[in-house]
DNA sequence: AATTAGCACTCACTGTTTGAGAGTGCTAAC
DNA sequence: GTTAGCACTCTCAAACAGTGAGTGCTAATT
């Protein structure tokens, strides 16, 4: 069966209406509300076809139709056009974020908040991946007789301070020497590059330092990598209560449970490198508990390198136009802000 | 009317039963389940008295009784004895926390998780207050032409890295000099002490440095104070769904909303200095949305100084015995771990 | 005087019934 | 190919009755 122009228009109307109302859409109300130029009976016939093709479905025999995941997919890929958020809003987003900008963490947290407030869904912001950041500066500082603090500052504004044990007999000057050496050697490199160099020829050069340093280095970089790979900022989790499809306690609970574990979240928002908007609809999600949700994800970059992600999660009945528009704008702004730094 | 021994025993039985079952307790089931040595009719009379005194109440005429906030208060203050969690559990808590100990942040996050898992309620862990910490070390590092990073390390293990603008013409050596000066001058002091000294005689000594340093210092310490005063770790927020009193969407929502804003949380868990267990029951809470919750709070300390807080929040029908026992043990352990550092 | 048995009464809760409303699919007419 | 008409389906909300747990009161018992 062919997807005629008229079928597409009807499908679009159904999806628009359902996104707005959350109620199954009937033929009569459809013909009244939208100028389709045909009678309810005709719409019924078309709807019957659309159902057969899998784009819409009936909750029960005598109800209207609701879009299926396949329907939303078609809508997102072909029918929808991303609205340009009105200029006023755009400016407001911009200055809102800038106003609060201090450290990276605050920027991320605030971005997350802005995203959830603007979309009214739940937002997830992933901090820059350390792997892809360049080390800007390394500092070592003694904390106590047996511990030292390593400070890593990256080009993304990420600051990490892992703590390590060191031998009590290591002198202050020695620490400083090592610190200088590390800076000369590694500043400007990514972790990936460092790994390669570590495996290579570095061993000899390190030999001139205290033995433990050599043992410590891999540990240091590993710690750096691990800690921040899971750093994320959530906002608007309770917005889920605004949606009738989660009016069921079990569903609301399952959604919130999903978000309570970092591990599940990062499974959900699998790292992506493409810098365009990625949409995962309902059953396209791998995790069982998210089969009634849609997730829209985009990235933000620094130096042409994708470093982190911005996501919105909500019901499959999501206002894709708006969400995608807000996400793409906020992403552009983050790119700019990070560049300005 | 006097609170006879028998009345107290009946009240205790009612509270115990209600904490367990969440169902209004009737006279007949009470006499069957507990060995009170009197008939249901007698219990009814006593219950009627207890209600008149305000310790219990009826949801409606023909239902059993449930404890009032006043009843819980009496129970917590007079009737209850804090159970000693079985030794096995105690050891498990201990090694669990220690195993994960790396940085302070991880310790706090993990403590929060352990608390919520052991109690099955929601836990809130407040990071050490900077005001009460002693500065251990200060480091300044240039980030770019116009920005520098200040690193503050406190005796509580707290590390903060605020970023500041500095004049482009400030030289590396100058920064190092200032850094050394600050360390000599302030290491070992609390922020409160520093404030006093700043107001005092410090101006002259600072004069020998670059002018901007003088302007920067107050800002630096203020930033330090502000940021971390609101740092908190939440865990087990969705446990609320396990309790029938929150089976109502509106109530669950209002509870979760309460926890989404840091500001409300810190209002809820107002800073306290007494190092013993503090219990706030239902209407004793100032915030409207928490009038059906109870909050148990204790503190943890370093060097005889209370620095942070541990809280459990749940329904007023809370297993106070268990919660207080777990909290007091975890608090002791944190004290020990912080000391060992 | 305190306790208890007996009894009428109350009220939430559950399951059933009923009617209304929205929507469909089919058939026959346009 | 499109549409009007109609019987049919299914959810939802309101009304209703029966059940059970619990109470308060009274009178008998210890």
């Amino acid at each position: 069966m062919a997807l005629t122009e008229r079928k597409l228009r009807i499908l679009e109307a159904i999806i628009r209406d359902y996104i707005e109302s959350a109620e199954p859409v009937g033929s009569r109300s459809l013909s009244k509300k939208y100028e389709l130029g045909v009678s309810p009976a005709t719409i019924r016939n078309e709807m019957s076809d659309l159902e057969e093709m899998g784009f819409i479905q009936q909750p029960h025999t005598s109800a209207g139709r609701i879009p299926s995941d396949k329907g939303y997919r078609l809508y997102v890929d072909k029918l929808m056009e991303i609205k340009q958020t009105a200029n006023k809003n755009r400016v407001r987003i911009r200055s809102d974020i800038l106003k609060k900008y201090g450290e990276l963490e605050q920027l991320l947290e605030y971005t997350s908040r802005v995203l959830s407030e603007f979309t009214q869904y739940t937002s997830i912001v992933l901090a820059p991946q350390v792997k892809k950041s360049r080390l800007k500066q390394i500092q070592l500082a003694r904390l106590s007789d047996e511990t030292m603090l390593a400070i890593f500052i990256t080009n993304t504004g990420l600051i990490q301070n892992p703590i390590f044990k060191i031998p009590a007999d290591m002198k202050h000057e020695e620490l400083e020497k090592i610190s200088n050496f590390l800076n000369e050697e590694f500043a400007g490199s990514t972790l990936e590059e460092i790994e390669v160099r570590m495996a290579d020829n570095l061993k000899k050069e390190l030999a001139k330092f205290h033995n433990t340093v050599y043992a410590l280095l891999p540990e240091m970089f590993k710690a750096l990598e691990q800690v921040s790979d899971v750093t994320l900022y959530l906002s608007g989790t309770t917005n889920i209560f605004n949606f009738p499809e989660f009016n069921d306690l079990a569903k609301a609970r399952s959604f919130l449970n999903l978000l309570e574990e970092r591990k599940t979240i990062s499974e959900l928002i699998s790292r992506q490198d493409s810098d365009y908007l990625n949409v995962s609809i309902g059953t396209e999600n791998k995790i069982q508990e998210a089969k009634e949700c849609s997730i829209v994800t985009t990235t933000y970059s620094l130096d042409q390198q994708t470093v982190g992600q911005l996501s919105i999660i909500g019901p499959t009945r999501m206002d894709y136009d708006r969400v995608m528009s807000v996400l793409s704008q906020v992403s552009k702004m983050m790119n700019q802000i990070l560049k300005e730094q």
Side-chain angles (χ1 to χ4, degrees), chain A residues 263-324:
Chain A
K263 235 168 58 186
T264 19
I265 295 182
S266 46
E267 257 177 86
L268 216 51
I269 321 277
S270 53
R271 289 276 179 189
Q272 64 176 69
D273 284 332
S274 81
D275 64 344
Y276 204 54
L277 289 158
N278 190 311
V279 184
S280 179
I281 299 169
T283 49
E284 296 171 10
N285 287 308
K286 283 174 206 144
I287 294 182
Q288 186 55 41
E289 285 76 17
K291 299 278 190 203
E292 296 187 32
C293 297
S294 280
I295 303 173
V296 184
T297 299
T298 191
T299 59
Y300 58 90
S301 317
L302 185 66
D303 297 338
Q304 270 80 42
Q305 172 84 284
T306 295
V307 291
Q309 294 187 210
L310 310 172
S311 297
I312 294 289
I313 178 168
T316 45
R317 182 185 67 82
M318 177 187 273
D319 190 340
Y320 294 96
D321 311 31
R322 191 172 155 68
V323 166
M324 290 170 85

Side-chain angles (χ1 to χ4, degrees), chain A residues 22 27 81 150 190 198 226 245 277 282-283 304 318 332:
Chain A
S27 56
E81 49 189 68
T190 66
M198 293 285 290
Q226 278 178 349
E245 44 265 74
L277 289 158
T283 49
Q304 270 80 42
M318 177 187 273
K332 273 181 208 153

Side-chain angles (χ1 to χ4, degrees), chain A residues 11 19 33 93 98 109 179 239 242 252 323:
Chain A
L11 178 59
I19 285 177
K33 204 162 161 190
I93 298 184
L98 280 174
E109 189 182 329
S179 182
N239 281 344
N242 294 329
V323 166

